[in-house]
Amino acid sequence: MNLACTDWEQRLREGRSLIPDLPIDQQRGARAVAIFDKLRLADVPGTPTMAEASGEWFRGIVRALFGAVDPASKSRWIRELMLLVPKKNSKTTNGALLMLTALLLNERPRAPLIMTAPTHDISDIAYGAVAGAIELDPVLKKILHVRDHLKTITHRQTKAELSIMTFDPNTLTGQKAVGVLIDELHVS
């Protein structure tokens, strides 16, 4: 599948999304966005939901990542994504909550999901966003087991785990992860 967005200049001028037109399973994409939108920001006054705090540009990414699936094989059409965004645009928080969404939507038993960050401070920010969102949602508190000392969240039904850690090349060696997010790749 070609994910090139050859009309990017025109899209920018018109204020349209830079996500190319894809054959997206609208139901899957909408479900992912609905989950993402309900997550709350624990470190912001009033603990707003992502529906209130996140930009539509990021919802488009969530919709595409989770909705671009081959209906016959169930395999993902988007296997890699590089997102280049200026500083202070919630990359770490958005990424962390995207990975929480992935954990919630995952169907593979005991699936590992990994988010890495280049420093302990950034991995703490990411983990804090995930743990805080879970703490603020009574349903998530019941279905997810939070282990602060390991920066790991386990889904009680599927036993899938989301681990948030400081980047180390050995961390990813030998993993059969369902999803990996490398935050601040340029620093790693």
Side-chain angles (χ1 to χ4, degrees), residues 110-167:
R110 301 190 179 278
L113 292 99
I114 301 169
M115 179 174 180
T116 68
T119 67
H120 288 292
D121 288 345
I122 296 173
S123 68
D124 284 346
I125 290 168
Y127 181 75
V130 171
I134 294 166
E135 183 65 30
L136 292 169
D137 188 309
V139 173
L140 294 183
K141 282 171 63 171
K142 288 180 184 175
I143 64 171
L144 299 173
H145 179 224
V146 178
R147 291 182 290 166
D148 290 329
H149 65 292
L150 297 174
K151 290 188 192 169
T152 300
I153 313 298
T154 304
H155 194 292
R156 293 182 195 278
Q157 293 169 332
T158 65
K159 305 296 186 223
E161 284 190 348
L162 169 59
S163 298
I164 300 174
M165 57 191 75
T166 304
F167 182 76

Side-chain angles (χ1 to χ4, degrees), residues 25-40 48-52 54-56 58-64 66-67 97-98 100-102 104-105 133 137 140:
D25 178 329
Q26 295 300 326
Q27 187 175 0
R28 278 181 185 259
R31 181 171 179 233
V33 170
I35 289 169
F36 178 80
D37 277 351
K38 287 181 185 175
L39 300 174
R40 301 188 85 77
T49 63
M50 292 306 284
E52 299 166 308
S54 183
E56 185 56 38
F58 199 78
R59 269 186 215 72
I61 292 168
V62 172
R63 188 177 294 106
F66 292 101
L97 296 181
L98 174 102
L100 178 55
T101 301
L104 293 167
L105 289 171
D137 188 309
L140 294 183

Side-chain angles (χ1 to χ4, degrees), residues 163-185:
S163 298
I164 300 174
M165 57 191 75
T166 304
F167 182 76
D168 175 356
N170 296 324
T171 303
L172 302 179
T173 303
Q175 294 285 341
K176 293 183 182 179
V178 168
V180 176
L181 190 148
I182 302 172
D183 193 23
E184 303 280 351
L185 179 61

